[in-house]
Amino acid sequence: MRRVVVDTDTGIDDAHTLLYLAGRPDAEIVAISSVYGNCTEEDATRNIGVVTGLLGLDVPVARGAAAPLRGPAHIAGYVHGKDGLGDLGRDRPLPRVSAESGAELLVRLAAEQPGELDLLALGPLTNLALALRLDPELFTKYRSVVVMGGSGPYAPPGTLLMIDANVNNDPEAARAVFAAPRRELVMVGVNVTAGTILDEHAIAALRARATPVARFATGILDAYLDFYQNEWGRRIIPLHDPLAAGILLDPSFATAWAEGPVNVRGDGFLHRARLMRTHDGLPPAFPYEPAPGTRVVTAVAARRFVADFVEVLTR
């Protein structure tokens, strides 16, 4: 059983992730903190309330960062809809929230239950960086920290990668996270999530179910499908955040790993978190910052995970 604290910028795939975690018999959602990213922090909090209300889930919810450590927030309304859940016009009242901030919640829970909880980060890493300012040893108190973000090792020459919004939205926070001491830090990056596809067949299987969870999961999909059809010419989506949850619960979904220091580097256009290794396992041809080892997922059993995701959401 994994007892999971979720930090989320609750957009469409984040909502799917909460549904997936709640449907797995080996997972318990312990608390949720909100952060900006797919939508504003307030919308992320409202969307947490929508999902927990659907699930009948009563857990602490804390409001987190509304902007990066420096600069304004970039909000991905063009991907998830302005409200983060596809702009369907549903009523989304603010849920009951904790008096503590998202960062304070992450610190308190780790101190109260050291070694018992897993932290799953699905959005920009601002809350985690703020929590590390409060407790620099924070990650040593979580059983594991799993980050949906990063780009894996350097890709083979000529390979194009999807933008990793979670790192790019707050590179300073990401640097703090990947430099922090930890028990186990796992990076599930766009190098593996981009190829884990919920295709037309899987979406049809979800639409065929009449359960409230399946109806909700497919009802919020259109904005996401609209965006990704411009990537691939098909109405399909990658399961970015759900895959990170799947690997947290069942590490066998990751079929290959590499371990080593991760640095956040900018190229004048965007920032990426990368394992400081080339695609063939060599160090990069430039100096880099030393950092504790991060477990970096380099290959996944995508088909098996997608089948599990659909099965959980259609029970």
Side-chain angles (χ1 to χ4, degrees):
M1 171 66 70
R2 294 276 184 164
R3 304 180 62 236
V4 186
V5 179
V6 183
D7 185 71
T8 174
D9 56 340
T10 329
I12 292 166
D13 61 331
D14 305 71
H16 285 166
T17 304
L18 294 173
L19 300 178
Y20 176 73
L21 287 170
R24 286 275 303 228
D26 53 353
E28 176 191 354
I29 299 172
V30 173
I32 308 173
S33 53
S34 64
V35 68
Y36 70 94
N38 292 329
C39 52
T40 66
E41 179 279 323
E42 179 175 322
D43 280 320
T45 304
R46 291 180 185 277
N47 295 343
I48 291 168
V50 170
V51 179
T52 54
L54 172 70
L55 295 169
L57 185 64
D58 185 14
V59 298
V61 174
R63 297 188 64 170
L69 297 179
R70 295 182 185 177
H74 175 81
I75 303 301
Y78 50 89
V79 180
H80 297 264
K82 184 179 177 182
D83 69 2
L85 288 182
D87 292 333
L88 299 179
R90 63 167 45 87
D91 186 31
R92 299 177 305 118
L94 278 171
R96 181 168 50 89
V97 296
S98 170
E100 58 195 343
S101 70
E104 290 166 341
L105 175 75
L106 301 184
V107 170
R108 177 177 63 80
L109 291 174
E112 291 175 351
Q113 303 173 69
E116 297 180 16
L117 304 176
D118 297 279
L119 175 57
L120 177 61
L122 303 178
L125 298 172
T126 314
N127 286 340
L128 276 65
L130 292 171
L132 285 166
R133 291 180 178 179
L134 298 174
D135 181 1
E137 299 296 316
L138 176 68
F139 292 171
T140 68
K141 299 173 185 177
Y142 278 97
R143 181 177 174 180
S144 73
V145 179
V146 177
V147 171
M148 191 279 110
S151 300
Y154 282 90
T159 302
L160 296 177
L161 286 174
M162 191 174 286
I163 292 174
D164 168 22
N166 289 343
V167 168
N168 195 51
N169 277 351
D170 195 342
E172 183 177 342
R175 287 190 184 99
V177 166
F178 288 110
R182 75 289 302 267
R183 181 178 298 207
E184 180 179 71
L185 179 61
V186 177
M187 185 169 87
V188 184
V190 294
N191 56 306
V192 291
T193 62
T196 304
I197 301 297
L198 194 72
D199 64 13
E200 295 91 345
H201 176 76
I203 293 170
L206 281 173
R207 291 196 193 278
R209 293 290 289 169
T211 66
V213 164
R215 283 201 306 269
F216 175 79
T218 55
I220 62 177
L221 270 182
D222 278 342
Y224 216 32
L225 292 168
D226 289 346
F227 177 80
Y228 278 107
Q229 73 182 2
N230 292 315
E231 293 287 323
W232 295 309
R234 294 168 57 188
R235 292 183 68 75
I236 57 179
I237 60 167
L239 292 173
H240 293 298
D241 291 344
L243 179 63
I247 289 172
L248 188 160
L249 300 178
D250 182 357
S252 75
F253 285 132
T255 57
W257 307 76
E259 186 156 351
V262 168
N263 282 192
V264 176
R265 299 181 65 91
D267 60 10
F269 171 59
L270 55 80
H271 287 81
R272 290 191 185 276
R274 294 187 186 267
L275 177 68
M276 291 292 102
R277 297 289 184 271
T278 61
H279 73 283
D280 48 4
L282 299 175
F286 51 79
Y288 57 87
E289 294 295 322
T294 294
R295 294 199 78 197
V296 177
V297 180
T298 57
V300 296
R303 251 190 195 167
R304 185 163 66 86
F305 172 70
V306 172
D308 184 66
F309 176 81
V310 172
E311 195 274 332
V312 169
L313 265 64
T314 55
R315 280 178 189 152

